[in-house]
Amino acid sequence: MSRRTSADGVRIKRRTPFVIIESATVRDTRLKYADLGLLTYLLDQSDDWAVRSEQLCQGEGREGRDAIRKSLHRLASFGYYRLERRRLRDGKTAMGTAISDHPVEQWADDYVTFGKKLDIPVVQQEDGSFRVKYPDGTLGTDGFDTDDEDQEQEQAAEEEPETPAAPAPEPAPAEERPAPAKKTPAPRKTDEEKAAAAAEKAAQEKELDEAAHKVATWWWEHAATHLGKYAGQKGGFIAVRKMVRRALVAGYTQQECAKALQHARKHFPSAQQWQDALGVVTNHIAPERAHGRIPYSDAATWSTPSDDSSVPTTPTADDDADDATFGVIERS
């Protein structure tokens, strides 16, 4: 659950109203003991308390300011903590803190998206909630609504009145009563079958990871040659790799992802640029020019100097095989 707080206070995302840490959080081996202790201390603060590293390092037995800041960054990278640059409904801005007693995947993703910075821009909505404002101008969830919605659904299910059962029909005479149908129990999976299914899923996940890494590695080297060295936010390569992986899960091929990156002509395209580029290379969107839309031509879009073997050429019937024709560079 989340608590409403002052403009620059602490927003705490917790599942209990006490400082009770879930076992999964306590056993999160990614956290150092110092990180876990700092998280516990932050969760015990009131909602009008301002988190400052210079305050946290004061007192006997406390770590120094640099150690505190490193712990805060580790907590942020795993989705337990972040700073929020809040734009309020009245146009004013305030800096506050968000803390969770369990890892929030959205927070961890946002930490990478915004260049591994602690502060994330959020915009207050009409109902008082906040939405994250991304670099491309789009708004996304702040991670606080997931648990609240689940809790509301559970409460609604508990409060819903039971529907009275319909009266049972009169039993038929014994000689006319049909024999009850035998229900065939669903076969239970054996331990071997469960292990095989888990292994198959792990293999599929690994294949997706390798395919996304392959496309992202090719693009990063190709973009450095044709667009210049990357000088944007930190974590750009990781973000591109995740973006490609999501496209592969959605059914796009490696070849289509590679072409979409070329069409976007950005080291790290925004979410809208990426979706538009995928639409163009799959012929769902016609590319635009200064004088309006033109019929899509793959050869015109991807025509490149003949001496650049790393750039996709006009597709042929063999392109459907989705091999690595997008030009991954292999080093011997």
Side-chain angles (χ1 to χ4, degrees):
M1 68 178 184
S2 63
R3 298 188 302 186
R4 299 303 178 194
T5 183
S6 58
D8 57 352
V10 180
R11 292 202 301 156
I12 299 182
K13 178 179 173 65
R14 66 161 110 238
R15 292 172 175 155
T16 61
F18 311 102
V19 186
I20 299 176
I21 306 297
E22 293 185 355
S23 294
T25 298
V26 174
R27 298 180 183 275
D28 190 342
T29 55
R30 301 173 301 175
L31 299 178
K32 295 185 177 182
Y33 287 131
D35 306 337
L36 188 58
L38 180 58
L39 176 62
T40 305
Y41 180 77
L42 294 176
L43 289 170
D44 193 40
Q45 303 307 314
S46 61
D47 56 8
D48 58 352
W49 192 72
V51 178
R52 298 288 184 271
S53 56
E54 58 269 17
Q55 293 177 344
L56 293 171
C57 66
Q58 294 177 0
E60 185 178 356
R62 303 300 190 192
E63 289 82 354
R65 182 177 179 180
D66 289 342
I68 293 293
R69 287 186 62 81
K70 288 180 180 179
S71 283
L72 292 177
H73 272 279
R74 278 193 297 270
L75 291 173
S77 67
F78 301 131
Y80 290 97
Y81 166 88
R82 72 181 180 191
L83 290 175
E84 295 178 333
R85 286 186 280 111
R86 300 168 184 164
R87 179 170 293 279
L88 308 179
R89 284 174 295 175
D90 57 8
K92 297 180 180 179
T93 58
M95 183 68 77
T97 305
I99 307 167
S100 175
D101 64 357
H102 57 282
V104 184
E105 184 179 354
Q106 184 64 47
W107 293 10
D109 290 344
D110 289 345
Y111 178 76
V112 175
T113 299
F114 287 94
K116 297 184 178 180
K117 295 181 179 179
L118 290 179
D119 57 306
I120 304 296
V122 296
V123 181
Q124 191 175 33
Q125 305 302 297
E126 291 298 327
D127 61 357
S129 63
F130 288 90
R131 305 283 286 178
V132 177
K133 184 174 183 179
Y134 289 100
D136 61 359
T138 58
L139 297 178
T141 176
D142 67 346
F144 271 85
D145 51 2
T146 306
D147 292 341
D148 290 344
E149 290 176 358
D150 293 343
Q151 199 172 52
E152 289 173 1
Q153 291 175 0
E154 292 176 1
Q155 291 176 351
E158 292 175 357
E159 296 173 359
E160 185 176 354
E162 295 185 1
T163 303
E170 292 291 333
E175 62 275 7
E176 299 177 4
R177 189 177 302 157
K182 294 184 179 180
K183 294 183 178 179
T184 304
R188 295 184 177 180
K189 291 185 177 180
T190 64
D191 292 340
E192 291 78 7
E193 290 174 333
K194 291 179 181 179
E200 182 180 359
K201 183 177 180 180
Q204 292 174 348
E205 293 293 322
K206 182 180 179 182
E207 184 179 356
L208 276 171
D209 290 338
E210 291 176 348
H213 185 78
K214 193 174 184 181
V215 175
T217 300
W218 165 79
W219 170 246
W220 216 245
E221 296 183 2
H222 180 84
T225 302
H226 295 273
L227 303 179
K229 293 184 178 180
Y230 179 69
Q233 297 176 343
K234 293 181 180 179
F237 173 79
I238 296 176
V240 168
R241 186 175 61 193
K242 291 176 67 175
M243 184 173 63
V244 171
R245 191 185 190 283
R246 286 194 291 268
L248 294 174
V249 171
Y252 293 96
T253 66
Q254 296 180 51
Q255 184 79 4
E256 289 168 343
C257 290
K259 289 184 176 182
L261 287 167
Q262 278 194 306
H263 183 81
R265 293 187 60 80
K266 304 285 185 183
H267 287 82
F268 174 25
S270 68
Q272 189 61 55
Q273 291 168 340
W274 175 237
Q275 189 62 56
D276 288 347
L278 287 170
V280 169
V281 301
T282 55
N283 295 326
H284 290 90
I285 300 176
E288 293 186 358
R289 284 186 177 176
H291 300 293
R293 294 183 178 272
I294 60 169
Y296 177 67
S297 168
D298 199 53
T301 303
W302 303 114
S303 58
T304 54
S306 58
D307 59 349
D308 186 357
S309 61
S310 68
V311 180
T313 57
T314 303
T316 64
D318 294 333
D319 283 343
D320 292 336
D322 191 31
D323 54 13
T325 56
F326 52 83
V328 172
I329 301 173
E330 297 182 359
R331 292 187 172 86
S332 57

